[in-house]
Amino acid sequence: MVSGQDVANQLQWVLALAGIIGFVFGAIMQRTGFCTMGAVTDLLSVQDSTRLRQWFLAIAVSVAGVSVLRAFGWIDAASTVYLSAKFSPLSVLSGSFVFGIGMVLAAGCSSKTLVRAGEGNLKAVVVFMTLGLSAW
C-alpha cells in the first residue's frame, strides 16, 4: 500500500520536473520567437521559413513522442478526442477561423502570449486569462 508521504514525495518530484521543463521550454520559446502566427507571417511577408520549419519540427517531435508512448503502452491514443470517429469539417473550419482571428487580435498564438505574459506584458495577461476562460 502506498503511504501519503510517498504520494507527497512523488508529487514534489513531478512538480519540480514540470517547473524545470516549463522553464526550459519558456526560455527556448522566448529566445527563438516560436509562434504559429509569426511563422506564417514571416513566410508570407519576408519569405523566411525559419520559424515555420521550427513549427514543423515541433509537430514531428510530438508525433514521434506519442508514437513512442503508444509503443510502450503508456497511453491509449485511441481513447482521445483526436482519434475520434466524430469528425466535423464544418466545426474544424469555423473553429480554425475564429482561432485565427483571435491570434491576430492577440498579436500572436497562445504560446507567444504565455511568453509575453511572463515578460510582463499586461495585454498578454488579459489575453491569457481570456484564452483560459474560453477554453474552460
Side-chain angles (χ1 to χ4, degrees):
M1 190 158 120
V2 178
S3 71
Q5 184 63 31
D6 290 338
V7 171
N9 287 339
Q10 288 176 348
L11 181 61
Q12 286 177 342
W13 277 105
V14 167
L15 290 175
L17 186 59
I20 291 168
I21 291 170
F23 179 81
V24 170
F25 178 71
I28 291 170
M29 287 196 45
Q30 198 276 336
R31 178 74 176 111
T32 62
F34 184 84
C35 177
T36 306
M37 190 184 86
V40 173
T41 302
D42 285 356
L43 183 67
L44 295 177
S45 64
V46 292
Q47 287 75 40
D48 182 14
S49 64
T50 303
R51 289 203 285 180
L52 191 62
R53 286 183 283 134
Q54 291 173 353
W55 198 70
F56 282 120
L57 177 63
I59 292 171
V61 168
S62 64
V63 167
V66 168
S67 297
V68 168
L69 293 173
R70 283 182 70 186
F72 283 107
W74 293 340
I75 62 169
D76 179 22
S79 65
T80 66
V81 68
Y82 304 107
L83 294 179
S84 170
K86 299 177 185 176
F87 176 73
S88 169
L90 183 60
S91 295
V92 170
L93 289 174
S94 61
S96 299
F97 181 73
V98 170
F99 190 76
I101 289 173
M103 279 198 300
V104 171
L105 292 175
C109 62
S110 53
S111 57
K112 186 66 171 182
T113 296
L114 188 56
V115 169
R116 286 184 178 145
E119 293 173 343
N121 185 318
L122 293 180
K123 176 185 174 184
V125 172
V126 173
V127 168
F128 186 69
M129 291 171 35
T130 304
L131 182 66
L133 285 173
S134 63
W136 177 60

